[in-house]
């Protein structure tokens, strides 16, 4: 059996829906009217320049903007983007010096739905200076560390010299051009990478390539180490013998990691061979075995006195 109290609640719900429906429809209609009504808006766009003479530079070109008053529907403004709006000024025939360029409606491109109402920037002041070329060396900048036991042995840049293009004032104090930092990244082998030049945008490069190729040579660090009081072992030892001295001093060079771990390397040994020797006194050399890649540069002493009784 259905409670009679639910009937008034359902009736109240229907009345609320009927009251809210016109309000919602009104808001939707108002939004549509706003979207379709003509509106005016002030916008600012960057200026680009064409037909600049090859021997001239435009100073502070990146800071030039034009302000416009445009009209259109709100929905039309949604389509405005840097790809479909522009202002282009023709510099053909201009020489070095300061110039005042008038801006005409024909210089401005807008989407067809958006109309130009007024040029709020009627003209632009520009300054042109003669081009100066200057050849300078490129210097590599390194950061970070190679892997332990390794070292940078050479850095070669291609090209290692570049031609800068700028004004006399902008190039006066530039003697070299640095690269952006080259990260060594725990390198344990040689590598090659493209690196941008660290140059202000106002200074150009001729030809206009602001990247060099860096070839970084990374090799194992070669060190020299003196090992003192290295015990001399004996092969074929007899019951009664005496060897003098009982230790040796070695000077060894090679890769840092191998030289520093020499004593713990199983391939390292210093031995005097007594096999087949008759009783008496003998002067013998030690047999010295080193790990691959290491080099013996000095031995002291070279001979050992061995007495066999």
């Amino acid at each position: 059996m259905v409670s009679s109290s639910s009937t008034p609640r359902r009736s109240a719900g229907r009345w609320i829906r009927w009251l809210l429906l016109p309000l919602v429809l009104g808001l939707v209609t108002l939004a549509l009217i706003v979207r379709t009504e003509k509106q005016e808006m002030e916008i600012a766009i960057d200026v680009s320049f064409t037909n600049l003479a090859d021997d001239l530079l435009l100073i502070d070109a990146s800071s030039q903007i034009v302000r416009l008053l445009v009209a259109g529907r709100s929905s039309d403004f949604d389509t405005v983007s840097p790809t479909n709006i522009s202002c282009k000024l023709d510099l053909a025939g201009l020489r070095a010096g300061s110039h005042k360029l008038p801006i005409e409606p024909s210089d401005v491109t807008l989407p067809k739905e958006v109309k130009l109402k007024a040029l709020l920037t009627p003209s632009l002041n520009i300054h042109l200076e003669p081009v100066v070329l200057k050849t300078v060396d490129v210097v590599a900048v390194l950061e970070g560390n190679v892997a332990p036991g390794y070292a940078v042995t050479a850095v070669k840049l291609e090209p290692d010299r570049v031609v800068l293009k700028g004004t006399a004032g902008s190039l006066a104090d530039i003697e070299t051009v640095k690269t952006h930092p080259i990260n060594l990244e725990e390198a344990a082998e040689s590598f090659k990478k493209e690196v941008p030049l660290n140059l202000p945008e106002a200074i150009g490069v001729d030809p206009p390539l602001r990247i060099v190729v860096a070839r970084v040579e990374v090799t194992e660090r070669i060190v020299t180490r003196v090992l003192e009081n290295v015990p001399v072992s004996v092969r074929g030892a007899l019951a009664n013998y005496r060897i003098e001295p009982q230790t040796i001093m070695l000077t060894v060079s090679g890769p840092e990691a191998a030289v520093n771990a020499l004593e713990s390397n199983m391939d390292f040994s210093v031995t005097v061979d007594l096999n087949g020797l008759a009783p008496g006194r003998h002067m013998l050399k030690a047999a010295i075995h080193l790990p691959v890649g290491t080099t013996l540069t000095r031995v002291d002493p070279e001979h050992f006195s061995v007495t066999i009784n």
Side-chain angles (χ1 to χ4, degrees):
M1 182 175 181
V2 179
S3 171
S4 60
S5 61
S6 63
T7 302
R9 283 198 293 271
R10 286 199 298 270
S11 298
R14 284 197 295 271
W15 277 106
I16 291 172
R17 285 196 294 272
W18 281 108
L19 288 172
L20 290 177
L21 183 60
L23 178 60
V24 172
L25 291 175
L27 291 173
V28 172
T29 303
L30 178 60
L32 290 173
I33 292 172
V34 170
R35 296 283 291 176
T36 56
E37 278 187 346
K38 290 284 185 179
Q39 299 182 22
E40 293 184 350
M41 178 183 291
E42 182 179 327
I43 62 174
I45 60 176
D46 293 329
V47 180
S48 60
F49 300 90
T50 60
N51 298 319
L52 176 65
D54 291 338
D55 60 346
L56 293 176
L57 284 178
L58 177 60
I59 307 304
D60 294 331
S62 61
S63 63
Q64 301 285 10
I65 62 170
V66 168
R67 305 192 73 81
L68 310 173
L69 183 65
V70 296
R73 296 171 299 184
S74 177
S75 58
D76 295 333
F77 293 135
D78 294 341
T79 65
V80 174
S81 71
T83 60
N84 58 19
I85 63 172
S86 65
C87 178
K88 294 183 179 180
L89 299 183
D90 190 352
L91 304 182
L94 296 183
R95 302 310 302 164
S98 297
H99 304 272
K100 186 174 184 177
L101 303 181
I103 299 174
E104 305 294 340
S106 58
D107 299 325
V108 178
T109 300
L110 294 169
K112 62 180 181 179
E113 299 87 358
V114 179
K115 306 302 179 184
L116 177 63
K117 298 289 290 183
L119 290 166
L120 303 180
T121 307
S123 63
L124 283 180
N125 295 317
I126 65 168
H127 185 72
L128 304 178
E129 288 195 19
V131 168
V132 173
L133 300 179
K134 186 175 184 179
T135 302
V136 298
D137 292 331
V138 182
V139 178
V141 176
L142 305 179
E143 70 174 9
N145 298 302
V146 293
Y150 289 80
V152 175
T153 54
V155 179
K156 298 178 182 178
L157 300 176
E158 298 176 6
D160 57 0
R161 306 194 83 200
V162 293
V163 178
L164 301 184
K165 182 178 180 181
T167 64
S170 65
L171 300 181
D173 296 329
I174 298 179
E175 299 301 329
T176 60
V177 173
K178 295 180 179 180
T179 67
H180 280 271
I182 302 170
N183 195 334
L184 298 178
E185 301 173 347
E186 295 289 319
E189 60 183 2
S190 300
F191 63 91
K192 177 181 75 172
K193 70 185 304 183
E194 293 184 340
V195 189
L197 296 176
N198 192 0
L199 270 176
E201 287 297 325
I203 297 177
V205 181
D206 188 25
L209 186 63
R210 303 172 74 90
I211 290 177
V212 297
V213 176
R215 300 178 186 273
V216 182
E217 295 182 12
V218 179
T219 59
E220 289 186 279
R221 184 182 290 113
I222 302 301
V223 298
T224 299
R225 182 182 170 204
V226 177
L227 290 81
E228 297 181 341
N229 300 318
V230 177
V232 177
S233 61
V234 173
R235 181 182 301 132
L238 302 174
N240 295 306
Y241 75 91
R242 185 174 70 254
I243 182 170
E244 294 292 340
Q246 297 180 0
T247 62
I248 190 172
M249 182 176 72
L250 305 176
T251 302
V252 180
S253 64
E256 183 178 31
V259 171
N260 287 343
L262 204 57
E263 292 90 339
S264 60
N265 194 305
M266 298 296 293
D267 293 331
F268 174 58
S269 65
V270 179
T271 307
V272 172
D273 191 355
L274 304 186
N275 283 312
L277 293 181
R281 186 171 178 271
H282 306 270
M283 296 300 294
L284 303 177
K285 284 188 174 182
I288 302 169
H289 298 279
L290 297 174
V292 174
T294 59
T295 303
L296 182 65
T297 61
R298 187 167 181 269
V299 176
D300 187 24
E302 293 187 359
H303 294 87
F304 292 84
S305 174
V306 177
T307 301
I308 300 175
N309 297 321

